Amino acid sequence: MKLYTHPVSTTSRPVMQFIADNNIPVDMQIVDILKGEHHQPAYSDINPSRLIPMLEDGDFRLTESAAILRYLAEKTGSPAYPKDLKQRAKVNEVMDWFNSNFYRDWGYGLIYPQLFPHLKREDAKVQEGVIAWGKEKSKEWLKVLNDHFLGPKNQYLCG
């Protein structure tokens, strides 16, 4: 298997961590997103979304970090993705919450507009507003994470 990734990518890190924690033999192919390599034909021809991570397992390609994590957990029989329907549903809930709620405002509203030139707003006032919005929304999501998913009784998100 091969994982197209970059260490700075917040969506790649959970996949890289899962691979490391479970000693899964995977070749890591660095795609330098800071230099725009993901927009070059060498990568965009195999992944039209031009995003990382992407996993290749033979002739099978899979994008989206949550889908890759689920696939790797199923493939390796990892207890991190339980067989019990309700336990698995809780894992899916948390993964979807991070990707659909938290990450939208934290990644695209706060981090990426400051990190990637192609996501920076041209107008300084608009840029300032985007970052302020992302910061405030991220605080709200972090409160949900702290008070609901973790809370005083949970050390882990799903068990």
Side-chain angles (χ1 to χ4, degrees):
M1 284 189 291
K2 182 189 287 189
L3 181 71
Y4 294 83
T5 187
H6 192 282
V8 76
S9 166
T10 55
T11 55
S12 292
R13 281 190 220 136
V15 177
M16 293 171 16
Q17 185 68 51
F18 186 82
I19 288 169
D21 286 349
N22 292 279
N23 298 311
I24 302 171
V26 174
D27 293 325
M28 300 287 181
Q29 174 68 49
I30 301 299
V31 178
D32 195 340
I33 59 175
L34 299 175
K35 293 183 178 175
E37 194 173 296
H38 54 307
H39 291 280
Q40 301 305 312
Y43 186 70
S44 65
D45 285 352
I46 61 171
N47 184 354
S49 295
R50 301 180 315 230
L51 300 172
I52 55 172
M54 181 182 74
L55 181 73
E56 280 184 341
D57 188 1
D59 62 354
F60 177 69
R61 289 189 179 128
L62 189 61
T63 62
E64 299 301 323
S65 59
I68 294 168
L69 285 167
R70 290 178 183 115
Y71 177 79
L72 291 173
E74 283 279 357
K75 185 173 177 117
T76 62
S78 172
Y81 199 50
K83 299 293 182 204
D84 177 81
L85 181 62
K86 289 181 180 177
Q87 290 175 343
R88 182 174 279 207
K90 291 306 282 183
V91 171
N92 288 335
E93 174 189 31
V94 170
M95 289 173 68
D96 290 347
W97 179 86
F98 271 105
N99 290 330
S100 299
N101 297 310
F102 175 76
Y103 199 76
R104 176 190 61 227
D105 292 318
W106 182 79
Y108 289 96
L110 180 62
I111 303 301
Y112 291 169
Q114 297 179 80
L115 187 61
F116 297 111
H118 70 282
L119 293 176
K120 184 177 181 178
R121 303 329 190 258
E122 291 182 21
D123 181 272
K125 282 292 213 195
V126 173
Q127 174 75 357
E128 183 180 309
V130 166
I131 293 169
W133 171 270
K135 185 175 182 179
E136 288 308 308
K137 294 302 286 182
S138 294
K139 286 180 185 177
E140 292 173 21
W141 292 125
L142 287 168
K143 182 169 177 34
V144 171
L145 175 63
N146 186 66
D147 296 350
H148 173 68
F149 286 112
L150 290 174
K153 296 181 183 178
N154 300 324
Q155 292 183 5
Y156 304 97
L157 290 169
C158 294

